[in-house]
Amino acid sequence: MVPDTETTAVHSGPPCLPGRIERLWEFATDLSWTWHREARALFRAVDPPQWRRTRNNPVAVLREIGDERLGALVRDPAFLQRYDAVCAAVDAVSSDESGWFGRRHPDLAGRPVAYFCAEFALHESIPIYSGGLGVLAGDHLKAASDLGIPLVGVGLMYAHGYFDQTLGPDGWQEDADDPLDPGLTPLERLGGADDTPWLTWIRGAGRRIYIGAWRLRVGRVPLVLLDTDLPENDAADRGLSHQLYAGGVDHRLRQEALLGVGGVRVLSALGIEPKAWHANEGHAAFMMVERARRRIRDGLPFREAVARVRASTVFTTHTPVPAGHDVFSHAQIRDWTGEKFWEETRQRDEILGLGLNPHDEAGDRFHMTAAAIRLAGRVNGVSERHGRVSREIWGRLWDGRPVAEAPIGHVTNGVHLETWMAEDVAALLDAYLPSDWRDRAHEEAVWRDLHTLPAEALWRVRQRLKLRLLDLMREEARRRWREHWPETAHLVGAGTLMSPYPLTIGFARRFAAYKRADLMFRDLDRLLALLADPGRPVQLIFAGKAHPRDEAGKRVLQRVYEHTRDPAFEGRIAFLENYGLHTAHRLVEGVDLWLNLPRVPLEASGTSGMKAALNGVPQLATTDGWWEEGFEGDNGWLIPRAPDDASEEEVDRLDHEHLFRLLEEEVVPLFYDRPGAGSWDDVPAGWLARARRAIEVAGHRFTARRMVREYARDYYVPALRGTTHGDDPPTGL
């Protein structure tokens, strides 16, 4: 892993804390606190107002705390008791050096898996993520830590973040930098030899590009983030690591070369020798190319070099949408790498040929996903349906074989339970499930007694979580009105008129046309009748960002936002701006129903519905991604798939009709089916039966620990052992 003794931390140093509680800084700089309930409660108790103001950032709290407050904490017996309990819990985890993976595979202990991804979502103070891919990668690291898998993450240090979203009066998304301050995060800079800020270099555009690195501790798993913003670099290269998914095609090529080629070299400079490599999406395909190039340089023939790389490599593809697969021309790659990159191999054309796509007749373009599939011995999609779709898309790489027989499997995504289940829900389950239910959530027997959970108790928790969501929305509206909004109409659109009593539906994800956030608005009269029914009102909360260069996505967002300001809807539609991890927690916990409307089959998996379900929020969704295998009839609602030969317009019409039929005839009546006068405190028993089943199905089948166990069993262990028996490469290899 990342060695402590051979690197130098050059952040501004820890704050001065009293000896009795000095380990607070140790806990704050290890992101495992984000999923340990007792540690979160400890930091909340340090300074509750600062905890809220910093959006739950213990590093910022400890840097800003005053001596008077520290003195009070040292004299507070209740705080010290809580502190000692966290110390004991942390020490217990540290003493279990092997973990689940080490106990199962003791011969593989200390043989790391390198996990490459373009983004990681771990805490809002570290905005190096854009959405679902980053959240999935962050949850993957957390589950690997829980299970003791010897994994090291590799990504880029986006000092300017992704972007901060604001909406103009007309609802058009405006993008601004979202810079991070390393001093208010757990980031540690890793120094190079002789205290230089760089560890290694790559060559690009005819010059050296020096690469530094930062480290984040994610429990037992280190995450190494590459950085080119160094004084040794040309001005054009310093910005390579500034912002996620910024710039045009040339910039993306350079960023992905930095991640793939630079990542391999940085690990080598740190003395880390992975025995298995996992590319999480095609952005990291150059990691495989660099490893093949090195083997050829060292004397192996091309095909043997490729076979060696395949034996230890896993590749996960995440999207069937063509725009999600990066493609670069051979000329672009040659111009960027220059001749020196290829001098040691003399097989430039063969290596570039790894990226040929049989669907692309041009023949002179490098498809990152095609290259990754050719260079990975184990390839998977992220749901059962996505595995089938991926075989249909990429099966032609195995010439002459039925696409259904292409060796592309699937590992359905999961979410990190301890991160995404609200503390209130987890505490409630503690009273009705076995004491070790979190560690055994993948066992069906653990959930047998969930039906004994009283509907009244679950309803009280659901009420509290909705009130917290509405409180957050009001506070966000107040802050943005003060800082950004020129019109009071923004306040209505932010949800300040929303009530805790109506059925509240949440829709939050990246705004892309195929995700169809605007499907609800095809028939405004019907929507108005649904929302403004005086006896059974409904509220809609939307959130999410459009990619800065996705004009179609921005137009969808704008259409949705326009309706938040329409007086006819009486303030029952809201848009929550600048969606991030902090607001995501409140949203998936606090709404009553989760809505997911992707056009089938373009959603590879989707995980937001899993997060909502863990909190007793059923999902209503199309037959796509994880929901095809997750829907069991009594844990949510399913929009049936339209005929395969239907036009896009016909699909939208049919899906809209099914959506509203379900809402009008099943969802809304069930939510308001209560005894007595149907007051706020009356319990909708039928609704809560679905809420319990949502928790059970998600907790049993769709957690990150289940997901990472499958990766370990079916992908990591064979890759760590370098198993080549049964390798089934694409045609020509």
Side-chain angles (χ1 to χ4, degrees):
M1 312 311 285
V2 179
D4 291 318
T5 56
E6 297 180 13
T7 60
T8 305
V10 294
H11 55 60
S12 56
C16 184
L17 300 174
R20 178 65 177 86
I21 55 174
E22 64 182 359
R23 293 187 70 186
L24 283 174
W25 185 251
E26 171 194 337
F27 305 152
T29 53
D30 182 338
L31 286 167
S32 63
W33 71 263
T34 62
W35 72 91
H36 288 167
R37 182 168 51 173
E38 296 81 4
R40 291 197 301 264
L42 177 69
F43 284 122
R44 187 183 302 116
V46 168
D47 191 332
Q50 282 287 80
W51 181 250
R52 290 191 297 272
R53 189 186 67 77
T54 63
R55 291 180 168 241
N56 305 355
N57 182 349
V59 172
V61 169
L62 293 178
R63 287 205 181 281
E64 297 170 12
I65 195 169
D67 292 341
E68 183 177 349
R69 179 59 185 163
L70 287 171
L73 293 175
V74 172
R75 296 188 298 272
D76 183 345
F79 180 83
L80 295 178
Q81 183 178 13
R82 177 174 281 167
Y83 170 82
D84 291 340
V86 172
C87 289
V90 171
D91 291 342
V93 172
S94 300
S95 65
D96 182 12
E97 296 182 0
S98 58
W100 169 84
F101 186 82
R103 290 190 293 272
R104 287 242 172 170
H105 306 284
D107 60 314
L108 299 179
R111 304 179 71 182
V113 178
Y115 181 87
F116 281 60
C117 191
E119 54 177 292
F120 292 88
L122 293 160
H123 189 265
E124 185 144 324
S125 65
I126 312 163
I128 58 172
Y129 62 94
S130 71
L133 180 68
V135 174
L136 187 281
D139 283 3
H140 195 109
L141 299 193
K142 294 174 185 179
S145 173
D146 292 336
L147 296 170
I149 294 176
L151 188 141
V152 54
V154 180
L156 298 184
M157 167 64 171
Y158 304 108
H160 293 193
Y162 183 39
F163 71 89
D164 186 85
Q165 177 196 57
T166 58
L167 301 183
D170 61 352
W172 189 253
Q173 175 179 287
E174 300 168 358
D175 316 322
D177 285 355
D178 186 18
L180 65 85
D181 180 352
L184 298 179
T185 73
L187 284 159
E188 298 175 87
R189 185 182 284 281
L190 303 176
D194 301 322
D195 294 326
T196 60
W198 56 274
L199 296 164
T200 187
W201 54 272
I202 62 173
R203 184 174 295 278
R207 56 183 175 268
R208 286 189 177 188
I209 301 172
Y210 294 92
I211 306 171
W214 301 75
R215 175 177 57 196
L216 279 173
R217 300 177 188 271
V218 188
R220 298 171 178 176
V221 172
L223 171 59
V224 177
L225 300 172
L226 280 53
D227 181 14
T228 61
D229 193 2
L230 304 173
E232 290 84 354
N233 282 330
D234 185 269
D237 301 325
R238 295 187 66 163
L240 281 181
S241 60
H242 275 178
Q243 197 161 28
L244 175 63
Y245 302 148
V249 175
D250 285 337
H251 190 78
R252 288 289 290 273
L253 168 62
R254 297 176 182 209
Q255 278 195 331
E256 292 177 16
L258 171 63
L259 173 64
V261 180
V264 171
R265 297 183 184 185
V266 163
L267 292 181
S268 179
L270 291 170
I272 300 171
E273 298 181 2
K275 302 303 179 183
W277 305 73
H278 186 174
N280 193 44
E281 192 52 289
H283 311 120
F286 287 133
M287 168 265 282
M288 309 176 205
V289 172
E290 169 67 1
R291 289 163 49 226
R293 188 192 69 84
R294 287 183 164 207
R295 291 183 180 276
I296 295 169
R297 177 200 64 189
D298 294 340
L300 283 183
F302 174 77
R303 289 198 177 190
E304 187 175 347
V306 169
R308 294 279 187 92
V309 170
R310 285 179 55 82
S312 59
T313 303
V314 177
F315 170 58
T316 301
T317 177
H318 280 269
T319 180
V321 179
H325 299 273
D326 287 327
V327 180
F328 307 111
S329 72
H330 288 181
Q332 285 175 312
I333 293 176
R334 288 194 299 266
D335 289 346
W336 166 246
T337 57
E339 290 301 321
K340 285 187 175 293
F341 183 81
W342 308 101
E343 281 180 354
E344 296 172 321
T345 65
R346 302 295 182 188
Q347 291 187 298
R348 181 186 67 189
D349 292 342
E350 290 86 347
I351 292 176
L352 290 178
L354 293 168
L356 291 178
N357 183 347
H359 297 281
D360 186 350
E361 296 180 357
D364 62 349
R365 301 202 302 170
F366 190 92
H367 293 251
M368 296 290 277
T369 301
I373 292 173
R374 287 190 174 97
L375 285 166
R378 294 157 188 89
V379 181
N380 69 282
V382 290
S383 69
E384 185 176 349
R385 169 176 280 280
H386 183 231
R388 295 197 306 270
V389 171
S390 296
R391 288 189 288 276
E392 292 169 2
I393 295 172
W394 299 105
R396 287 179 59 186
L397 291 176
W398 288 264
D399 189 27
R401 182 184 302 188
V403 296
E405 298 178 10
I408 299 175
H410 78 275
V411 176
T412 300
N413 283 343
V415 298
H416 193 250
L417 185 148
E418 291 85 349
T419 295
W420 291 105
M421 181 178 281
E423 294 179 10
D424 305 66
V425 176
L428 185 61
L429 298 189
D430 285 343
Y432 295 92
L433 299 182
S435 59
D436 59 349
W437 67 270
R438 291 173 179 81
D439 294 327
R440 297 173 49 221
H442 61 287
E443 299 177 19
E444 188 173 6
V446 166
W447 300 95
R448 286 176 184 160
D449 293 332
L450 189 62
H451 71 279
T452 65
L453 191 161
E456 294 81 2
L458 181 56
W459 185 238
R460 286 193 295 270
V461 168
R462 296 291 322 134
Q463 287 174 311
R464 285 200 302 272
L465 295 174
K466 184 185 280 188
L467 288 170
R468 287 179 193 162
L469 168 61
L470 296 179
D471 285 345
L472 172 73
M473 292 173 67
R474 282 190 290 270
E475 287 304 311
E476 284 295 296
R478 179 177 291 111
R479 181 178 66 83
R480 289 202 164 251
W481 187 33
R482 181 179 68 244
E483 297 176 359
H484 300 291
W485 291 340
E487 298 182 5
T488 55
H490 274 293
L491 292 173
V492 175
T496 54
L497 298 184
M498 287 194 164
S499 162
Y501 307 117
L503 170 67
T504 301
I505 301 173
F507 182 104
R509 54 191 37 81
R510 180 170 58 88
F511 270 71
Y514 78 89
K515 293 178 183 284
R516 299 191 299 182
D518 53 351
L519 189 66
M520 289 285 292
F521 302 96
R522 279 179 66 94
D523 185 337
L524 294 181
D525 291 337
R526 195 172 182 182
L527 177 60
L528 180 59
L530 180 78
L531 300 189
D533 183 326
R536 301 187 308 187
V538 176
Q539 301 174 151
L540 295 173
I541 302 174
F542 291 88
K545 299 177 178 180
H547 189 284
R549 295 191 301 281
D550 183 358
E551 297 297 308
K554 289 183 177 182
R555 286 193 293 272
V556 172
L557 193 159
Q558 185 178 39
R559 285 196 294 273
V560 169
Y561 182 75
E562 286 172 353
H563 296 296
T564 69
R565 299 158 65 96
D566 187 343
F569 290 110
E570 303 174 358
R572 300 185 190 278
I573 306 174
F575 187 91
L576 188 54
E577 284 189 24
N578 207 36
Y579 188 53
L581 285 180
H582 185 73
T583 50
H585 281 278
R586 290 290 181 263
L587 199 53
V588 298
E589 296 167 3
V591 297
D592 298 304
L593 177 73
W594 198 255
L595 195 62
N596 192 15
L597 303 171
R599 185 174 288 113
V600 180
L602 299 180
E603 184 82 285
S605 173
T607 57
S608 59
M610 301 175 190
K611 303 176 184 94
L614 286 177
N615 291 288
V617 178
Q619 175 172 258
L620 192 169
T622 53
T623 315
D624 208 4
W626 80 282
W627 197 231
E628 182 183 66
E629 56 197 279
F631 176 66
E632 295 194 357
D634 58 355
N635 61 327
W637 290 268
L638 182 73
I639 295 173
R641 184 173 180 178
D644 290 339
D645 59 353
S647 66
E648 189 172 288
E649 171 61 26
E650 181 67 4
V651 169
D652 287 352
R653 186 191 67 77
L654 290 171
D655 286 354
H656 176 268
E657 178 59 33
H658 282 120
L659 168 63
F660 270 79
R661 184 190 61 77
L662 287 169
L663 289 170
E664 293 163 347
E665 298 178 12
E666 298 186 33
V667 176
V668 175
L670 187 65
F671 184 80
Y672 285 103
D673 182 14
R674 309 180 191 187
S679 71
W680 168 242
D681 292 321
D682 291 333
V683 177
W687 183 271
L688 292 166
R690 289 207 180 226
R692 274 195 298 263
R693 281 289 289 149
I695 295 171
E696 178 182 352
V697 172
H700 173 215
R701 297 176 53 202
F702 296 100
T703 66
R705 285 202 200 185
R706 185 274 311 155
M707 172 186 73
V708 174
R709 283 175 189 265
E710 290 185 21
Y711 274 112
R713 180 192 67 207
D714 299 334
Y715 294 81
Y716 291 167
V717 168
L720 286 167
R721 298 193 193 284
T723 304
T724 58
H725 177 72
D727 188 27
D728 191 1
T731 302
L733 295 177

